[in-house]
Amino acid sequence: MTKKIDRFLAERRPATPCLVMDLDVVADNYRKLRRAVPRASIYYAVKANPAPEILKLLAKAGSSFDTASINEIDMVLATGASADRISFGNTIKKKTDIAAAYGRGVKLYAFDSEAELGKISDAAPGSRVFCRILTSGANADWPLSRKFGCDVEMARKLLIEAAKRDVVPYGVSFHVGSQQRDPNQWDAAVAQAAWLFRECEQAGVQLSMLNIGGGFPTRYRKTVPGMSSYGAAIDESLSRHFGNRIPDIIVEPGRQMVGSAGVIQTEVVLISKKADNDTKRWVYLDIGKFGGLAETMDEAIQYPIVSARDGAVAPVVLAGPTCDSADILYEKADYRLPESLEIGDKLEIRSTGAYTTTYASVAFNGFEPLKCYCV
Ligand SMILES: *Cc1c(COP(=O)(O)O)cnc(C)c1O
């Protein structure tokens, strides 16, 4: 919670639920990442929070952008950033969207299959392409493995094949899983990438870029290593596997950039028990899984939740307001709130700047999508 957010909530008294972002924290997170990985070009993953004020701030700070759709590309272009600062990083794109991106000047594309490579060389001739490889996603609270990337042997064939098509084989990418708590998880993927660089070189294909993805964490209920630990581990790994021929490095932070900058204010709608001898109170909020807190799925991301009341606390089950039984936020994760908590109380859900507004449904049960204020 920052002074600016506190003041905004006290003075403006916006309707709940709402997300309030402190832009100074975003700027600070950008500087922290800049310092931790000085050799890398930063491509902010727009999906984490595409608020125009945030995109504008990052564009001004010098960031580039990782996008997944034409709408995200247009949001970036609306900041005045040029198309050469945009990567179309989704490995699953319609050919019509690739053509539309190309028409806007985007010349950097991800792929992880032969079919996708074919679409890019048809619809975006002359562009740079990079191949995403699989990672285990171990030690990540929100893994992205399995769905994205291909194995290194396939990547080798595809990158060599790319050289024969109307595209430029530029490099390799991976993502070690979001909210990655272990700085050493980059090492195995960097080693695989270095192997690919060598194999391609032997086949006469010179790669020059390594995209080490996102995954850098935000502090939620548990502490996480600082950005400098990630920077040091990555730097060491790059030197070990690439020696004095370290390629151009791209990072694609999402959560790290905006997570800690946001607070959701929510209202307690109902406090009840399921039986007289129920040991836990059920606390229903005006926001749930469908209102922006999708990452509470399997209780994977555990946001700090704070009440202004003090005194003794007792265990609660936290749930959202919709008519879907999946809309339970935390049942096993041992959340406790003051015994004095009352219906109508406001609660703060902290570190909610990433992956909340973008995950909110449009009108499930008639509830509006999560509003975002930038201060
Ligand atoms: C979502 C995503 C990111 C951002 O991941 P974080 O864990 O939020 O840093 C980066 N790159 C790609 C390709 C993504 O899909």
Side-chain angles (χ1 to χ4, degrees), residues 45 47 66 89 132 144 175 178-179 213-216 252-255 355:
K47 73 176 186 285
D66 171 55
R132 181 160 169 177
L144 299 166
H175 194 301
S178 200
Q179 188 67 7
F216 310 106
E252 296 175 333
R255 193 181 300 278
Y355 303 119

Side-chain angles (χ1 to χ4, degrees), residues 1 13 106 123 125 149 161 164 172-173 188 195 201 208 234 236 242 263 292 308 313 327 339 361 366 370:
M1 193 64 170
R13 303 189 158 276
V106 176
E161 173 62 25
K164 298 174 191 153
V172 175
S173 77
W195 178 85
E201 185 169 32
S208 57
I234 287 165
E236 204 261 329
F242 285 92
V263 174
V313 294
D327 193 9
E339 283 168 354
S361 66
L370 182 59

Side-chain angles (χ1 to χ4, degrees), residues 11-314:
E11 287 171 6
R12 286 280 296 274
R13 303 189 158 276
T16 65
C18 66
L19 168 66
V20 189
M21 298 289 298
D22 186 334
L23 293 173
D24 293 345
V25 179
V26 177
D28 195 47
N29 288 339
Y30 183 84
R31 282 191 292 269
K32 281 185 179 133
L33 182 71
R34 186 68 292 160
R35 265 199 303 276
V37 283
R39 70 166 75 244
S41 301
I42 296 174
Y43 281 66
Y44 171 63
V46 173
K47 73 176 186 285
N49 189 325
E53 297 91 335
I54 294 170
L55 299 182
K56 213 167 274 171
L57 180 155
L58 292 173
K60 202 165 157 221
S63 186
S64 294
F65 298 89
D66 171 55
T67 62
S69 66
I70 293 297
N71 280 342
E72 284 191 348
I73 288 170
D74 284 343
M75 287 188 258
V76 172
L77 292 174
T79 69
S82 52
D84 62 357
R85 287 163 70 184
I86 295 174
S87 167
F88 203 164
N90 193 346
T91 51
I92 306 149
K93 303 175 284 301
K94 289 181 180 170
K95 199 164 167 179
T96 48
D97 287 343
I98 297 170
Y102 189 67
R104 286 159 170 76
V106 176
K107 295 260 177 57
L108 182 58
Y109 297 85
F111 71 98
D112 64 3
S113 64
E114 184 168 11
E116 192 73 11
L117 175 62
K119 285 191 247 172
I120 299 166
S121 72
D122 286 352
S127 294
R128 287 167 151 179
V129 296
F130 56 95
C131 186
R132 181 160 169 177
I133 56 173
L134 285 163
T135 63
S136 74
N139 288 304
D141 286 339
W142 195 259
L144 299 166
S145 52
R146 238 160 40 81
K147 179 170 173 182
F148 306 105
C150 60
D151 80 1
V152 280
E153 183 47 38
M154 182 178 273
R156 185 185 71 83
K157 287 190 195 133
L158 290 176
L159 285 162
I160 292 167
E161 173 62 25
K164 298 174 191 153
R165 310 270 182 108
D166 196 1
V167 288
V168 179
Y170 185 35
V172 175
S173 77
F174 60 80
H175 194 301
V176 293
S178 200
Q179 188 67 7
Q180 175 52 261
R181 287 174 285 106
D182 177 10
N184 296 313
Q185 287 297 315
W186 274 259
D187 188 63
V190 170
Q192 290 193 317
W195 178 85
L196 271 170
F197 271 62
R198 288 193 299 272
E199 288 287 314
C200 286
E201 185 169 32
Q202 275 173 25
V205 176
Q206 196 74 47
L207 303 178
S208 57
M209 186 280 290
L210 175 60
N211 177 337
I212 62 173
F216 310 106
T218 284
R219 199 213 148 136
Y220 295 112
R221 284 216 294 183
K222 284 181 233 147
T223 57
V224 290
M227 263 318 298
S228 57
S229 317
Y230 289 83
I234 287 165
D235 215 44
E236 204 261 329
S237 185
L238 289 171
S239 296
R240 181 143 36 93
H241 299 296
F242 285 92
N244 58 4
R245 297 179 64 200
I246 295 175
D248 297 341
I249 301 296
I250 282 177
V251 285
E252 296 175 333
R255 193 181 300 278
Q256 175 273 342
M257 196 70 80
V258 289
S260 63
V263 174
I264 285 174
Q265 189 173 60
T266 175
E267 181 182 316
V268 175
V269 181
L270 178 68
I271 304 174
S272 65
K273 288 191 166 183
K274 302 292 173 193
D276 288 337
N277 60 356
D278 206 346
T279 54
K280 278 188 179 182
R281 291 166 297 163
W282 282 68
V283 174
Y284 299 91
L285 308 177
D286 62 2
I287 187 171
K289 274 203 165 66
F290 303 96
L293 302 179
E295 289 197 319
T296 59
M297 202 185 294
D298 298 327
E299 310 192 20
I301 298 295
Q302 298 181 4
Y303 303 108
I305 300 182
V306 178
S307 159
R309 291 184 188 270
D310 39 34
V313 294

